[in-house]
PDB file of all heavy atoms in Angstrom:
ATOM      1  N   ALA A 164      -3.814 -12.985  -3.224  1.00  0.00           N
ATOM      2  CA  ALA A 164      -4.510 -12.311  -2.141  1.00  0.00           C
ATOM      3  C   ALA A 164      -3.722 -12.513  -0.850  1.00  0.00           C
ATOM      4  O   ALA A 164      -3.009 -13.501  -0.702  1.00  0.00           O
ATOM      5  CB  ALA A 164      -5.928 -12.850  -1.981  1.00  0.00           C
ATOM      6  N   GLY A 165      -3.891 -11.584   0.069  1.00  0.00           N
ATOM      7  CA  GLY A 165      -3.150 -11.635   1.320  1.00  0.00           C
ATOM      8  C   GLY A 165      -3.742 -12.601   2.324  1.00  0.00           C
ATOM      9  O   GLY A 165      -4.944 -12.801   2.380  1.00  0.00           O
ATOM     10  N   THR A 166      -2.858 -13.181   3.122  1.00  0.00           N
ATOM     11  CA  THR A 166      -3.259 -14.010   4.257  1.00  0.00           C
ATOM     12  C   THR A 166      -2.407 -13.619   5.446  1.00  0.00           C
ATOM     13  O   THR A 166      -1.301 -13.099   5.286  1.00  0.00           O
ATOM     14  CB  THR A 166      -3.040 -15.513   3.969  1.00  0.00           C
ATOM     15  OG1 THR A 166      -1.635 -15.759   3.829  1.00  0.00           O
ATOM     16  CG2 THR A 166      -3.789 -15.971   2.729  1.00  0.00           C
ATOM     17  N   GLY A 167      -2.899 -13.886   6.629  1.00  0.00           N
ATOM     18  CA  GLY A 167      -2.112 -13.611   7.818  1.00  0.00           C
ATOM     19  C   GLY A 167      -0.819 -14.408   7.833  1.00  0.00           C
ATOM     20  O   GLY A 167       0.241 -13.877   8.165  1.00  0.00           O
ATOM     21  N   ALA A 168      -0.895 -15.686   7.432  1.00  0.00           N
ATOM     22  CA  ALA A 168       0.304 -16.523   7.398  1.00  0.00           C
ATOM     23  C   ALA A 168       1.313 -15.978   6.395  1.00  0.00           C
ATOM     24  O   ALA A 168       2.518 -15.960   6.660  1.00  0.00           O
ATOM     25  CB  ALA A 168      -0.072 -17.964   7.043  1.00  0.00           C
ATOM     26  N   GLY A 169       0.842 -15.530   5.244  1.00  0.00           N
ATOM     27  CA  GLY A 169       1.738 -14.956   4.239  1.00  0.00           C
ATOM     28  C   GLY A 169       2.365 -13.662   4.707  1.00  0.00           C
ATOM     29  O   GLY A 169       3.537 -13.387   4.444  1.00  0.00           O
ATOM     30  N   LEU A 170       1.588 -12.867   5.422  1.00  0.00           N
ATOM     31  CA  LEU A 170       2.086 -11.579   5.917  1.00  0.00           C
ATOM     32  C   LEU A 170       3.256 -11.781   6.872  1.00  0.00           C
ATOM     33  O   LEU A 170       4.277 -11.117   6.750  1.00  0.00           O
ATOM     34  CB  LEU A 170       0.966 -10.807   6.608  1.00  0.00           C
ATOM     35  CG  LEU A 170       1.353  -9.494   7.278  1.00  0.00           C
ATOM     36  CD1 LEU A 170       1.884  -8.489   6.263  1.00  0.00           C
ATOM     37  CD2 LEU A 170       0.164  -8.916   8.034  1.00  0.00           C
ATOM     38  N   VAL A 171       3.134 -12.702   7.796  1.00  0.00           N
ATOM     39  CA  VAL A 171       4.188 -12.859   8.797  1.00  0.00           C
ATOM     40  C   VAL A 171       5.364 -13.700   8.313  1.00  0.00           C
ATOM     41  O   VAL A 171       6.433 -13.667   8.902  1.00  0.00           O
ATOM     42  CB  VAL A 171       3.643 -13.436  10.128  1.00  0.00           C
ATOM     43  CG1 VAL A 171       2.592 -12.518  10.717  1.00  0.00           C
ATOM     44  CG2 VAL A 171       3.111 -14.846   9.962  1.00  0.00           C
ATOM     45  N   ALA A 172       5.183 -14.468   7.225  1.00  0.00           N
ATOM     46  CA  ALA A 172       6.242 -15.367   6.763  1.00  0.00           C
ATOM     47  C   ALA A 172       7.276 -14.689   5.876  1.00  0.00           C
ATOM     48  O   ALA A 172       8.418 -15.118   5.829  1.00  0.00           O
ATOM     49  CB  ALA A 172       5.632 -16.544   6.002  1.00  0.00           C
ATOM     50  N   GLY A 173       6.924 -13.646   5.184  1.00  0.00           N
ATOM     51  CA  GLY A 173       7.845 -13.018   4.238  1.00  0.00           C
ATOM     52  C   GLY A 173       8.782 -12.033   4.901  1.00  0.00           C
ATOM     53  O   GLY A 173       9.036 -12.077   6.102  1.00  0.00           O
ATOM     54  N   ALA A 174       9.299 -11.129   4.087  1.00  0.00           N
ATOM     55  CA  ALA A 174      10.153 -10.042   4.582  1.00  0.00           C
ATOM     56  C   ALA A 174       9.259  -8.951   5.199  1.00  0.00           C
ATOM     57  O   ALA A 174       8.033  -9.056   5.184  1.00  0.00           O
ATOM     58  CB  ALA A 174      10.988  -9.484   3.431  1.00  0.00           C
ATOM     59  N   VAL A 175       9.879  -7.889   5.696  1.00  0.00           N
ATOM     60  CA  VAL A 175       9.138  -6.781   6.304  1.00  0.00           C
ATOM     61  C   VAL A 175       8.257  -6.120   5.240  1.00  0.00           C
ATOM     62  O   VAL A 175       8.731  -5.761   4.168  1.00  0.00           O
ATOM     63  CB  VAL A 175      10.098  -5.738   6.903  1.00  0.00           C
ATOM     64  CG1 VAL A 175       9.329  -4.584   7.520  1.00  0.00           C
ATOM     65  CG2 VAL A 175      11.007  -6.387   7.932  1.00  0.00           C
TER      66      VAL A 175
END
Side-chain angles (χ1 to χ4, degrees):
T166 65
L170 175 62
V171 300
V175 179

